[in-house]
């Protein structure tokens, strides 16, 4: 892991970028912000122990929002190759990450649409794609 430090107000990751590492909060508070027409809306906050970046690491997908240090923050960065190694050693982690990613995706869709489709096979498809990462 790499230890990264961020000052209050500093951007950790920007919307529409694909992270190549899983980011785990060690200390501080991270805000998840969405910008629209020169307005910033805080969607959520992450506390120590929370993580983000899984969509880029696992799926190559872009982040849906900006991540900003609301306070001084220390973030541990776990590169994609290390995540793949961990999943080879503990395959159940792929299932857990698929469930988490599915839940986060649905929550993000709910923020942007009042009635969104619930794909019953969505978690299963995510799980399959994540397991393929551990084969690399």
């Amino acid at each position: 892991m790499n230890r990264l430090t961020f000052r209050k107000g500093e951007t950790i990751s920007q919307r529409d970028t694909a992270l190549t590492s899983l980011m785990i909060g060690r200390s501080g508070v991270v805000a998840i912000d969405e910008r629209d027409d020169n307005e910033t809306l805080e969607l959520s906050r992450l506390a120590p122990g929370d993580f983000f970046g899984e969509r880029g690491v696992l799926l190559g997908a872009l982040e849906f929002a900006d991540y900003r240090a609301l306070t001084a923050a220390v973030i541990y960065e776990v590169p994609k190759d290390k995540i793949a190694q961990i999943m080879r050693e503990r395959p159940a982690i792929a299932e857990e990450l698929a469930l988490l990613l599915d839940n986060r995706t649905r929550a993000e869709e709910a923020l942007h649409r009042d009635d969104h489709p619930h794909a019953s096979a969505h978690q299963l498809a995510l799980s399959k794609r994540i397991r393929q990462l551990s084969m690399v």
Side-chain angles (χ1 to χ4, degrees):
M1 284 191 283
N2 300 314
R3 184 179 186 271
L4 308 173
T5 58
F6 297 90
R7 292 176 298 210
K8 178 180 177 179
E10 193 172 356
T11 299
I12 298 169
S13 175
Q14 291 184 320
R15 178 184 178 163
D16 295 331
T17 59
L19 293 176
T20 58
S21 297
L22 189 67
M23 311 295 268
I24 304 170
R26 167 65 176 103
S27 64
V29 179
V30 174
I32 303 173
D33 296 334
E34 184 175 79
R35 286 191 235 179
D36 187 25
D37 298 328
N38 298 324
E39 290 183 343
T40 300
L41 174 65
E42 184 179 300
L43 302 175
S44 186
R45 291 183 179 184
L46 302 177
D50 291 336
F51 62 91
F52 62 96
E54 70 280 353
R55 86 183 67 247
V57 171
L58 302 174
L59 304 174
L62 303 177
E63 291 299 322
F64 78 101
D66 294 332
Y67 291 83
R68 173 179 53 90
L70 197 59
T71 66
V74 175
I75 305 289
Y76 291 135
E77 176 185 41
V78 184
K80 182 178 183 173
D81 61 329
K82 297 296 181 191
I83 297 295
Q85 178 183 348
I86 292 167
M87 288 192 306
R88 280 191 296 274
E89 294 169 6
R90 294 193 56 208
I93 290 176
E95 301 300 325
E96 293 171 20
L97 287 173
L99 178 61
L100 174 83
L101 189 54
D102 181 57
N103 289 338
R104 285 187 179 179
T105 300
R106 289 174 191 250
E108 291 160 15
E109 288 173 351
L111 286 172
H112 294 97
R113 286 184 250 162
D114 290 334
D115 52 344
H116 59 284
H118 293 281
S120 60
H122 190 63
Q123 180 186 344
L124 185 59
L126 286 172
S127 179
K128 183 177 178 181
R129 288 180 69 184
I130 291 168
R131 278 194 304 274
Q132 288 173 349
L133 172 69
S134 66
M135 302 299 179
V136 176

